Amino acid sequence: QVQLVQSGAEVKKPGASVKVSCKASGYTFTDYYIHWVRQAPGQGLEWMGWINPNSGGTKYAQKFQGSVTVTSDTSISTAYMEVNRLRFDDTAVYFCTRGEVAAGLEYWGQGTLVTVSS
Amino acid sequence: EIVLTQSPGTLSLSPGERATLSCRASQSVSSTYLAWFHQKPGQAPRLLIYGASSRATGIPDRFSGSGSGTDFTLTISRLEPEDFAMYYCHQYGTSPLTFGQGTRLEIK
């Protein structure tokens, strides 16, 4: 069965960076895009960007251009999302999710809580 | 970007009742790329409906989606206790992908 398993919770100081991993199993990793979505405490869902693991191509929401980098390692079926220059308002749960042309975002990781605190 | 506005913000109903949730887009969304999720506290969103009206794998038939253009609806025919959660609509046809702000479905 399709599974996306994310790395554990992180606590970081403002200005630091954080890198969250998302390990895929149960399907051919290079056949589907991986998207990243975040959710601040008590707030809604916010799309951040995607990576095409087959080509390495990426696309980001304008808000995250320059501060977020999404990469993947096809040898271990894992995608990564790095946020640089963390701010207090980057405190959120970060989700990876598999993208399909027709069905959209059907499979999700469990989420990774990133807390930015001084 | 396409802004999705959901209404109502909160819907208070009892188990067994019918729920109707609305999602209005700031510009036309291809029906092919309109989805609905629900989310319970501490969990990832779960896909209910994609392509405006197709149920995702394992979703019971009390959930149905309809609509086109800028107006979409999620209907839950008879509410079960496990249906009380946050609901989000989502468009994935135009970048940036966007989500509605959510409707809270709570027990009356």
Side-chain angles (χ1 to χ4, degrees):
Chain A
Q1 73 281 23
V2 175
Q3 280 195 304
L4 299 172
V5 179
Q6 298 182 223
S7 49
E10 303 261 14
V11 179
K12 296 291 183 180
K13 294 191 183 304
S17 297
V18 67
K19 193 171 187 177
V20 178
S21 68
C22 170
K23 182 168 177 60
S25 61
Y27 72 98
T28 301
F29 181 62
T30 50
D31 281 353
Y32 298 89
Y33 288 23
I34 292 289
H35 295 246
W36 291 88
V37 174
R38 79 176 186 181
Q39 186 170 39
Q43 302 301 309
L45 302 166
E46 183 175 32
W47 178 76
M48 301 176 70
W50 56 248
I51 184 165
N52 176 351
N54 187 48
S55 67
T58 56
K59 190 172 183 71
Y60 301 98
Q62 187 170 14
K63 174 179 180 177
F64 299 106
Q65 293 264 14
S67 62
V68 171
T69 304
V70 177
T71 56
S72 66
D73 184 339
T74 58
S75 69
I76 55 171
S77 299
T78 300
Y80 302 92
M81 190 277 307
E82 183 171 24
V83 184
N84 300 305
R85 302 185 299 277
L86 284 162
R87 302 165 15 146
F88 291 117
D89 61 3
D90 289 318
T91 294
V93 176
Y94 291 78
F95 294 99
C96 63
T97 170
R98 192 184 86 167
E100 287 185 283
V101 173
L105 307 178
E106 183 168 13
Y107 296 98
W108 292 65
Q110 82 276 19
T112 297
L113 175 62
V114 175
T115 303
V116 183
S117 173
S118 55
Chain B
E1 75 177 46
I2 297 178
V3 176
L4 301 177
T5 302
Q6 293 185 239
S7 60
T10 302
L11 187 57
S12 300
L13 294 169
S14 301
E17 291 193 291
R18 180 184 186 90
T20 303
L21 287 69
S22 174
C23 176
R24 176 161 289 177
S26 60
Q27 57 187 278
S28 186
V29 173
S30 168
S31 299
T32 308
Y33 303 119
L34 192 288
W36 290 91
F37 295 88
H38 73 184
Q39 185 182 32
K40 298 179 183 179
Q43 296 185 15
R46 183 178 184 188
L47 180 66
L48 301 171
I49 300 288
Y50 66 91
S53 60
S54 297
R55 276 186 298 277
T57 306
I59 301 303
D61 61 8
R62 65 179 182 272
F63 290 91
S64 63
S66 63
S68 63
T70 60
D71 289 290
F72 298 89
T73 301
L74 174 71
T75 302
I76 312 170
S77 58
R78 285 179 57 85
L79 286 166
E80 298 286 342
E82 62 268 26
D83 297 336
F84 292 91
M86 282 295 295
Y87 286 78
Y88 295 98
C89 60
H90 163 60
Q91 70 80 20
Y92 52 105
T94 301
S95 188
L97 281 62
T98 51
F99 294 87
Q101 83 283 11
T103 289
R104 180 181 305 278
L105 178 55
E106 63 177 28
I107 299 177
K108 188 172 183 181

